[in-house]
Amino acid sequence: MLEILRAHGLDAGPTQRPLLAGMAASIVADIPALGLLQAFGSLGALAQATHASVFLPALAYIGLMLLGGVLYGWLFQRAANDPRGGWLFGMAFGFVLWMLGPIPLLQWLPAQPLLTGYPAVGLLLGELLWGLVLGVAFPYVHRPLRPNLSAQLAPPTARTGPQAACDPHLARGR
């Protein structure tokens, strides 16, 4: 394992796009998380606290989770592509984001906590679900975003490999 890390490293290469993949996977993960937040009344409680419609907290959640997806891609880079361990990376990341974002902003800083009871539990479960879906979706979203260098370097009619060795038109030095 150490030899592989020395040869390939943990940093994403120039052809990989972990930040864009994190953002796209975050959009996928926002859908079930917003449904869970709505079911537990978290969005309604935030809307009531801000004296706005439910649309405003949902939009703020989507925007902040897009930044979270970019941070996920930047932080984990090549490790985020693991289809077997991505769910664990994602859930752990969702839990860390819950601890660093909503808890200080919604529970500690105001004079009274904005979310209590079911809405507070819904926020925790929403972050965990978001992280789970983000970690599972990241490798599948990332695959189409990586360019295929072999298709860009060789024209579609060029022959490579054993077929090129047998082709008399490609012979060199004759």
Side-chain angles (χ1 to χ4, degrees):
M1 179 69 181
L2 192 55
E3 292 83 20
I4 293 173
L5 290 178
R6 283 188 193 138
H8 301 289
L10 291 175
D11 295 335
T15 62
Q16 296 178 338
R17 297 179 174 97
L19 304 181
L20 181 62
M23 186 182 297
S26 175
I27 293 170
V28 172
D30 282 342
I31 296 166
L34 281 172
L36 193 132
L37 290 174
Q38 181 65 27
F40 274 81
S42 302
L43 292 177
L46 287 173
Q48 188 178 15
T50 58
H51 305 295
S53 69
V54 176
F55 182 71
L56 184 63
L59 194 61
Y61 181 81
I62 290 170
L64 291 173
M65 291 299 104
L66 282 176
L67 292 176
V70 170
L71 183 62
Y72 179 82
W74 175 78
L75 182 65
F76 289 110
Q77 294 198 10
R78 292 179 78 154
N81 281 329
D82 185 11
R84 292 175 298 196
W87 68 272
L88 187 59
F89 288 142
M91 282 187 74
F93 186 73
F95 181 73
V96 168
L97 281 186
W98 173 75
M99 286 181 55
L100 297 177
I103 294 300
L105 291 177
L106 301 175
Q107 306 299 88
W108 294 344
L109 293 179
Q112 294 291 324
L114 297 181
L115 298 178
T116 57
Y118 281 120
V121 172
L123 187 62
L124 169 63
L125 293 178
E127 289 290 321
L128 291 176
L129 180 64
W130 176 84
L132 173 70
V133 174
L134 177 77
V136 169
F138 189 93
Y140 301 106
V141 168
H142 192 227
R143 261 186 221 127
L145 294 177
R146 293 185 304 206
N148 187 356
L149 287 181
S150 62
Q152 291 176 1
L153 295 177
T157 59
R159 297 176 73 180
T160 59
Q163 292 86 11
C166 299
D167 191 353
H169 302 294
L170 297 176
R172 294 186 202 173
R174 290 186 189 174

